[in-house]
Amino acid sequence: MAQMTMIQAITDALRTELKNDENVLVFGEDVGQNGGVFRATEGLQQEFGEDRVFDTPLAESGIAGISIGLATQGFRPVPEIQFFGFVYEAMDAINGQMARLRYRTGNTMNAPITIRSPFGGGVHTPELHADSLEGLIAQQPGMKVVIPSNPYDAKGLLISSIRDNDPVVYLEHMKLYRSFREEVPEEEYTVELGKANVKREGTDVTLVAYGAMVQASMKAAEELEKDGIQAEVIDLRTVMPIDIDTIIKSVEKTNRVVVVQEAQKQAGMASQIVTEIQERAILHLEAPVLRVAAPDTVYAFTQAEEVWLPNYNDIIEKVNTVLNF
Amino acid sequence: MKRTLENIENQFETFQILNEDGELINEELMPELSDDELKELMTRMVYTRILDQRSIALNRQGRLGFYAPTAGQEASQLGTQFALEKEDFILPAYRDVPQLVWHGLPLYQAFLFSRGHYHGNQMPEGVNALSPQIIIGAQYTQAAGVAMGMKKRGKKSVAITYTGDGGTSQGDFYEGINFAGAYSAPAIFVVQNNRFAISVPVEKQTAAQTLAQKAVAAGIEGIQVDGMDVLAVYAATKDARERAVNGEGPTLIETLTYRYGPHTMAGDDPTRYRTEDLDNEWEKKDPIVRFRKFLENKGLWSEDQENEVIEKAKEEIKAAIKKADGQPKQKVSELIQNMYEELPAHLEEQLEEYKAKESK
């Protein structure tokens, strides 16, 4: 075991898979010699060579497009989009193309591609770096979307994503890159895609969260405990497909739910989760399912992040509303 | 200040081997093709012209769906494909069904593609191709990736992809040729310039005097070819292929061609935007007429031979449509099962729902 930050766990997962499978290719803007703008790919080109880990021209659509071509030649591409706000440039190649490859070829071809990309607020990035756009990809049949919230999951989920034979968008929250260390096994292990994790057991209310909002929910749960309220915190880990079973099991126990996301209310995954709960567990609910989300504006100017981004106080407020409904 | 535009344009003169009368005007560049190969090329062009005529008729009868006419582009489509090897990978655009057929896609599957049946897109083992791309430009970046993959595998093969004149305005067009150039990947990028993107003439796409010169932006070789001259198209593609497999990188080939029919069979009416004069001018350049003259002069082609090809084509088309008719109807459960290797829970649930419906 070693103490690792999330970014180190990600590098470790990439190294593991580059070693395990010669078809794994890591590429993107500045991921080679430079080791990535966040050092996620540091040392990998030196270790595995330019044929396996390489820089690309500055063009997201091209990066995603070549991934599909490389996949037809039996490779397992792990491209990087430098910031997920730049995904719009690659939307056709992702949602219009790789998501559909297996289906459109009648299951004769597939796209075992893992797109890594940083996102997330609270670190004062310039425009279109921090936007939460997971909802756009999650609405595309054929895609999977993974968002780890800690170093242990980050490694296990990334290895699973790379080994998955269908395309995965793997989103890395920038605020979580180096915010804490955790024990991460040095050997390889996987965390199953599509499986949520109950981070904290509770009986009074269920908090469903992902990304940086998992930590915020854990902090809210600690505060709530001081008032004798036991919150159960579920970290989705994979936001598409959603682990409905784990959520419903928790709802049947607590009868109250708040879904927490960093994305704007009209975006993200919260609405989908609320709908699933009302379709499957309405008779277990003592109160409506409420959402914590950012306001429906464009992502905040840097200096407004603090007042704009959802935080643990917003979560506590919503929990009190559902408890007192 | 030195102006360079004219200098650049002068470097992209149209490459031609056969003139409109079927005479060799560039004998020294005549590709090495045996008599049998020359006859096979003609056979394919005639067959494909019949395929186009029958496809239009079948579409009008409602026996085919989406169809983008190909008449006029036989030299451009088949001359390029004829220069390929089996291991080469084709990334076609929506008009490029003939190349797939001659690369090994059974005709009945091409018809299923037209109708909208997934089996039409299931390439048989050993047919290296994707099904026709609807998103104009997407095939270009993907072709760069296929070619990079071949290079990494050490294969002596190429990726070839096609777009039209309108497609050269897309970002993916430029990104595709630029990526292939930066990695010196074995790709052949073909621009079939038939002068119109639906109703928009090529002059409205760009101020560039040739489309081949767009290769300059990627730092790769570009060549403009008479796309109604099958020998010139073949020679240009063969040359690009050789250079590609020898590690000399990609080539952009512009073929000057024309579609005699509408853009697609979905209600496009070319009389709204094309003049009769222009149609007449290009009909004189018909690639089949020209190549027929050439072969007849060499004593390699006769009316009987041509009629034989026509009859064969009609019979095979009839048989293929019949086979397509016999294809089982698609079920939602099959569409669901083609989504992922392992179905996520929500799709498992929907699969059960639809299986129950289908068993009623």
Side-chain angles (χ1 to χ4, degrees):
Chain A
M1 298 281 262
Q3 286 279 321
M4 288 188 200
T5 61
M6 193 167 93
I7 197 98
Q8 288 169 331
I10 287 166
T11 312
D12 196 44
L14 291 170
R15 182 179 291 112
T16 303
E17 287 312 275
L18 279 162
K19 236 182 241 170
N20 271 335
D21 184 348
E22 60 180 20
N23 293 314
V24 171
L25 301 176
V26 171
F27 52 92
E29 296 155 10
D30 310 291
V31 305
Q33 177 74 21
N34 190 42
V37 291
F38 291 105
R39 303 284 165 266
T41 53
E42 182 147 272
L44 297 181
Q45 188 181 71
Q46 288 77 357
E47 191 175 342
F48 297 97
E50 258 190 83
D51 204 39
R52 306 281 309 281
V53 181
F54 52 92
D55 290 318
T56 63
L58 202 168
E60 287 76 17
S61 186
I63 292 168
I66 62 165
S67 304
I68 299 163
L70 287 163
T72 69
Q73 299 303 301
F75 288 99
R76 198 169 279 280
V78 188
E80 178 183 298
I81 293 178
Q82 200 160 70
F83 295 95
F84 206 54
F86 312 163
V87 73
Y88 295 112
E89 296 283 347
M91 275 306 263
D92 175 62
I94 299 171
N95 281 8
Q97 303 291 330
M98 67 179 72
R100 306 167 68 99
L101 188 65
R102 184 185 289 278
Y103 174 90
R104 78 185 289 260
T105 62
N107 212 352
T108 58
M109 292 173 109
N110 65 308
I113 299 166
T114 302
I115 298 175
R116 290 182 41 252
S117 190
F119 80 110
V123 290
H124 302 294
T125 50
E127 199 169 13
L128 267 169
H129 282 56
D131 293 52
S132 290
L133 304 173
E134 67 279 7
L136 297 177
I137 309 297
Q139 283 208 11
Q140 174 57 50
M143 295 303 299
K144 293 178 182 174
V145 183
V146 172
I147 306 182
S149 71
N150 57 72
Y152 179 89
D153 285 350
K155 178 173 172 180
L157 287 168
L158 183 51
I159 292 176
S160 293
S161 299
I162 294 172
R163 293 181 186 178
D164 199 284
N165 285 327
D166 290 302
V168 176
V169 164
Y170 178 96
L171 295 173
E172 305 165 4
H173 200 293
M174 283 182 274
K175 200 178 173 186
L176 301 175
Y177 266 156
R178 293 183 176 86
S179 60
F180 62 99
R181 284 172 188 276
E182 202 175 66
E183 289 291 332
V184 174
E186 278 168 74
E187 65 274 13
E188 61 174 80
Y189 64 93
T190 56
V191 172
E192 195 182 342
L193 303 187
K195 290 282 175 259
N197 182 26
V198 180
K199 291 276 283 189
R200 185 185 202 278
E201 299 215 7
T203 49
D204 299 325
V205 63
T206 299
L207 299 175
V208 181
Y210 59 92
M213 289 299 110
V214 174
Q215 272 197 317
S217 299
M218 291 296 280
K219 187 164 182 197
E222 276 167 40
E223 295 295 315
L224 288 162
E225 193 175 16
K226 292 176 189 163
D227 297 326
I229 299 158
Q230 297 299 329
E232 179 147 304
V233 179
I234 296 176
D235 178 358
L236 276 182
R237 302 197 287 200
T238 299
V239 304
M240 180 50 67
I242 303 165
D243 183 356
I244 300 298
D245 286 350
T246 299
I247 297 171
I248 298 299
K249 213 173 125 198
S250 178
V251 173
E252 287 173 354
K253 178 172 67 170
T254 63
N255 313 116
R256 289 178 171 85
V257 197
V258 173
V259 185
V260 188
Q261 69 179 21
E262 183 175 313
Q264 293 89 335
K265 206 167 195 176
Q266 72 184 63
M269 297 306 297
S271 301
Q272 186 76 18
I273 294 162
V274 173
T275 307
E276 293 286 350
I277 295 169
Q278 80 84 19
E279 282 185 354
R280 293 163 198 272
I282 197 162
L283 295 177
H284 292 277
L285 291 176
E286 297 287 346
V289 181
L290 296 186
R291 291 172 288 169
V292 171
D296 286 325
T297 70
V298 167
Y299 188 91
F301 285 101
T302 312
Q303 294 198 323
E305 274 187 321
E306 211 166 298
V307 292
W308 188 87
L309 284 168
N311 61 32
Y312 75 97
N313 281 320
D314 300 316
I315 301 169
I316 291 168
E317 205 176 289
K318 288 282 173 190
V319 167
N320 285 325
T321 309
V322 298
L323 286 172
N324 300 318
F325 179 76
Chain B
M1 209 161 67
K2 197 179 157 199
R3 294 184 191 276
T4 54
L5 190 57
E6 204 182 321
N7 290 335
I8 288 172
E9 279 157 2
N10 287 340
Q11 291 171 37
F12 294 90
E13 279 170 31
T14 312
F15 169 55
Q16 204 183 34
I17 291 177
L18 274 186
N19 69 13
E20 288 173 29
D21 298 321
E23 295 158 351
L24 282 179
I25 54 163
N26 240 329
E27 208 162 346
E28 69 286 3
L29 293 169
M30 172 72 192
E32 280 176 38
L33 286 165
S34 68
D35 288 354
D36 281 346
E37 284 172 321
L38 290 170
K39 282 189 278 186
E40 177 61 19
L41 251 182
M42 182 62 179
T43 298
R44 291 183 181 195
M45 289 209 288
V46 171
Y47 191 112
T48 304
R49 178 67 61 86
I50 297 302
L51 178 60
D52 184 67
Q53 289 168 1
R54 292 300 303 141
S55 296
I56 287 170
L58 288 162
N59 168 281
R60 291 200 173 120
Q61 293 162 22
R63 301 188 71 197
L64 281 182
F66 172 76
Y67 183 68
T70 60
Q73 298 192 197
E74 291 86 355
S76 170
Q77 294 182 320
L78 307 181
T80 47
Q81 196 279 329
F82 202 68
L84 303 180
E85 301 292 334
K86 191 81 186 151
E87 59 267 27
D88 294 337
F89 195 105
I90 302 182
L91 296 98
Y94 49 78
R95 202 180 302 282
D96 302 312
V97 175
Q99 294 95 307
L100 289 181
V101 169
W102 293 111
H103 209 54
L105 179 68
L107 202 49
Y108 85 97
Q109 285 189 275
F111 290 153
L112 287 171
F113 159 76
S114 162
R115 289 177 174 182
H117 191 300
Y118 71 81
H119 181 50
N121 288 0
Q122 291 176 316
M123 292 296 149
E125 191 70 34
V127 177
N128 296 309
L130 278 166
S131 44
Q133 178 58 249
I134 298 297
I135 302 302
I136 296 171
Q139 71 275 25
Y140 260 55
T141 53
Q142 291 171 21
V146 172
M148 285 170 70
M150 288 170 164
K151 188 177 177 184
K152 284 182 186 297
R153 296 281 185 218
K155 288 188 195 168
K156 288 283 178 198
S157 56
V158 299
I160 188 167
T161 188
Y162 299 84
T163 192
D165 39 302
T168 61
S169 300
Q170 289 278 4
D172 272 359
F173 164 82
Y174 169 68
E175 289 184 33
I177 61 174
N178 188 56
F179 269 66
Y183 295 110
S184 192
I188 301 174
F189 296 100
V190 182
V191 174
Q192 300 188 82
N193 177 2
N194 63 24
R195 307 196 47 77
F196 287 89
I198 306 188
S199 66
V200 179
V202 65
E203 293 77 17
K204 292 237 166 78
Q205 297 293 342
T206 177
Q209 292 302 299
T210 71
L211 299 179
Q213 77 196 64
K214 293 191 174 229
V216 174
I220 66 172
E221 290 294 341
I223 179 169
Q224 188 186 63
V225 183
D226 179 347
M228 308 301 257
D229 171 2
V230 73
L231 294 178
V233 173
Y234 173 84
T237 314
K238 191 86 180 158
D239 179 60
R241 190 183 184 282
E242 265 170 34
R243 292 184 42 262
V245 297
N246 289 330
E248 291 169 53
T251 303
L252 181 70
I253 301 174
E254 176 191 9
T255 63
L256 296 174
T257 182
Y258 203 70
R259 61 168 155 84
Y260 296 145
H263 166 66
T264 69
M265 294 304 292
D268 175 46
D269 173 12
T271 62
R272 291 168 69 105
Y273 53 84
R274 273 192 332 217
T275 62
E276 216 172 303
D277 284 352
L278 193 63
D279 283 350
N280 289 339
E281 180 197 325
W282 280 88
E283 259 159 44
K284 283 185 207 135
K285 300 183 186 193
D286 190 321
I288 294 178
V289 172
R290 182 186 312 196
F291 198 49
R292 186 191 289 129
K293 282 181 191 160
F294 172 74
L295 292 184
E296 280 172 352
N297 288 342
K298 285 175 79 87
L300 290 173
W301 198 252
S302 68
E303 207 179 325
D304 284 352
Q305 274 170 293
E306 188 153 331
N307 286 333
E308 222 172 278
V309 175
I310 293 170
E311 286 317 306
K312 185 167 179 268
K314 285 180 176 168
E315 267 168 45
E316 289 183 1
I317 290 163
K318 213 168 159 185
I321 275 287
K322 208 171 162 198
K323 194 166 178 192
D325 289 344
Q327 187 65 27
K329 282 187 178 161
Q330 298 166 99
K331 293 177 181 162
V332 175
S333 59
E334 293 172 302
L335 304 182
I336 291 175
Q337 281 162 325
N338 285 345
M339 283 302 304
Y340 295 93
E341 182 176 52
E342 275 179 64
L343 286 188
H346 66 282
L347 276 179
E348 277 292 356
E349 199 175 277
Q350 292 167 31
L351 181 66
E352 291 317 308
E353 276 174 42
Y354 280 94
K355 273 190 169 167
K357 277 190 198 178
E358 287 160 7
S359 67
K360 271 180 197 165

